[in-house]
Amino acid sequence: MSPLDSTHLSLWLLNHFSTFTLTVAIVGGTVLLAVCGSVLLRRRYPSVARGEHNEMVGVTLGMFGAIYGIILAFVIVTLWTQLEDTQTIVATEATDAALITRDAAAFPAQVRTRLDSTMNGYVHAVVEDQWPRMRAGNPSYGATEVHLGAAFQALQQYDPKSQSEQVFYQEAVTHLNDVASQRRARITMARQELPPLLQVLAFGGAMVLVPLTFLYGMRKLRVQVLFVASVAGLVGFSLLLVFVLDRPFAGELSVSPAPYKEGALAQYWTRDTNPSHRAAGTLPGHRTLDTAHRAGDQRSSDRP
């Protein structure tokens, strides 16, 4: 299976099965396979139960387990940190968008209305278009390009007159630049995944560590099954964390788009808006969102 196929498979599993189902499948499957393998090996080679090689197996198991545990802990901590960073990026982008909405209150009605319309389209494009694309592993700048470009154009064509307008204009420009920056960071995080080498170490290491426990013989079958099952359960749960945390926008534990619907941005989801504009992703005087998406994919990879 190619890396691309494995990525699509993992995304499909995360988006179509609950975390509980994945837990039962991964952890339960690991434990079941380990217990069955241990019992079959014990029956095939009765000498294993006598523990003739326990000293050598114990040293090997301890050394390998320590190395594998360090690698697995590093991977899980890295993925958890990545998830927290992604949540921070999303919250920061939504906060900057909300601040633009608040800053626009100091501008003339025509400019304020234009900015309000662009931010309305932007947050809807993020949640309704860009978010499903990120969940499916196909993030794109084009989904929000038309709205972000319209916001820049509105500010570039506006010449503030009073000192108050100038202050809020500078703030609005700063926040809009930050929105563009955080958008790039968010899409970059949506494209990231665990490097293939670490995937091999994490999942391949489990395929070596768990069978090693089969060789550690104990006279009572019940005790050996308990030993093998506990190690397999711990390894399986760790692999579940790696699998779930690897894609921050897929699955039940994914980053939520809720920040784009809260605070000053809540008005875009509660007030009456033109359904045709929202469905088509259009703004007055601009192309449709689908047209902008195709054009944005070609030109916006070089801009934040």
Side-chain angles (χ1 to χ4, degrees), residues 15-245:
N15 290 327
H16 288 80
F17 293 95
S18 66
T19 302
F20 177 77
T21 303
L22 293 175
T23 301
V24 172
I26 296 177
V27 179
T30 303
V31 172
L32 181 61
L33 289 175
V35 170
C36 291
S38 178
V39 172
L40 291 176
L41 183 67
R42 186 184 178 99
R43 290 182 178 179
R44 179 66 178 81
Y45 301 100
S47 61
V48 172
R50 295 193 294 268
E52 297 177 354
H53 306 289
N54 278 4
E55 184 176 352
M56 180 189 68
V57 173
V59 173
T60 304
L61 190 61
M63 179 181 65
F64 189 86
I67 297 174
Y68 179 70
I70 293 173
I71 294 175
L72 204 56
F74 169 76
V75 171
I76 293 175
V77 170
T78 299
L79 293 177
W80 180 258
T81 302
Q82 175 180 300
L83 180 63
E84 290 185 327
D85 291 342
T86 305
Q87 291 174 333
T88 301
I89 290 170
V90 168
T92 302
E93 182 185 9
T95 300
D96 286 325
L99 290 175
I100 294 173
T101 300
R102 297 185 185 277
D103 292 338
F107 301 156
Q110 183 179 1
V111 179
R112 180 171 65 250
T113 301
R114 189 175 177 184
L115 271 178
D116 190 60
S117 177
T118 59
M119 298 316 298
N120 178 25
Y122 182 82
V123 296
H124 277 281
V126 169
V127 175
E128 297 172 352
D129 191 332
Q130 210 163 46
W131 218 266
R133 292 178 184 275
M134 292 190 297
R135 283 180 63 87
N138 185 33
S140 170
Y141 289 95
T144 53
E145 184 64 23
V146 61
H147 305 290
L148 192 62
F152 274 106
Q153 187 178 20
L155 290 178
Q156 290 166 355
Q157 294 177 352
Y158 170 52
D159 184 17
K161 300 297 189 296
S162 66
Q163 182 176 1
S164 175
E165 290 180 358
Q166 291 177 1
V167 171
F168 282 100
Y169 176 82
Q170 293 175 356
E171 291 294 323
V173 171
T174 300
H175 294 314
L176 186 58
N177 286 332
D178 289 340
V179 167
S181 176
Q182 297 302 324
R183 181 187 67 154
R184 173 175 287 276
R186 170 169 51 81
I187 292 179
T188 299
M189 296 300 282
R191 289 173 174 170
Q192 287 186 349
E193 61 179 322
L194 196 65
L197 180 59
L198 286 180
Q199 292 184 23
V200 172
L201 287 174
F203 292 94
M207 298 176 64
V208 176
L209 178 63
V210 174
L212 275 177
T213 61
F214 304 171
L215 302 177
Y216 196 84
M218 298 180 183
R219 292 185 178 182
K220 292 185 177 181
L221 176 61
R222 183 178 302 176
V223 176
Q224 182 163 6
V225 167
L226 181 62
F227 168 68
V228 172
S230 61
V231 174
L234 179 61
V235 172
F237 191 79
S238 299
L239 293 180
L240 173 68
L241 287 177
V242 173
F243 182 73
V244 171
L245 297 176

Side-chain angles (χ1 to χ4, degrees), residues 243-259:
F243 182 73
V244 171
L245 297 176
D246 188 27
R247 311 299 297 197
F249 291 99
E252 290 185 348
L253 299 181
S254 60
V255 178
S256 171

Side-chain angles (χ1 to χ4, degrees), residues 276-295:
S276 62
H277 284 172
R278 182 182 301 181
T282 59
L283 289 170
H286 291 278
R287 298 167 296 173
T288 64
L289 182 59
D290 290 337
T291 304
H293 171 70
R294 291 191 294 268

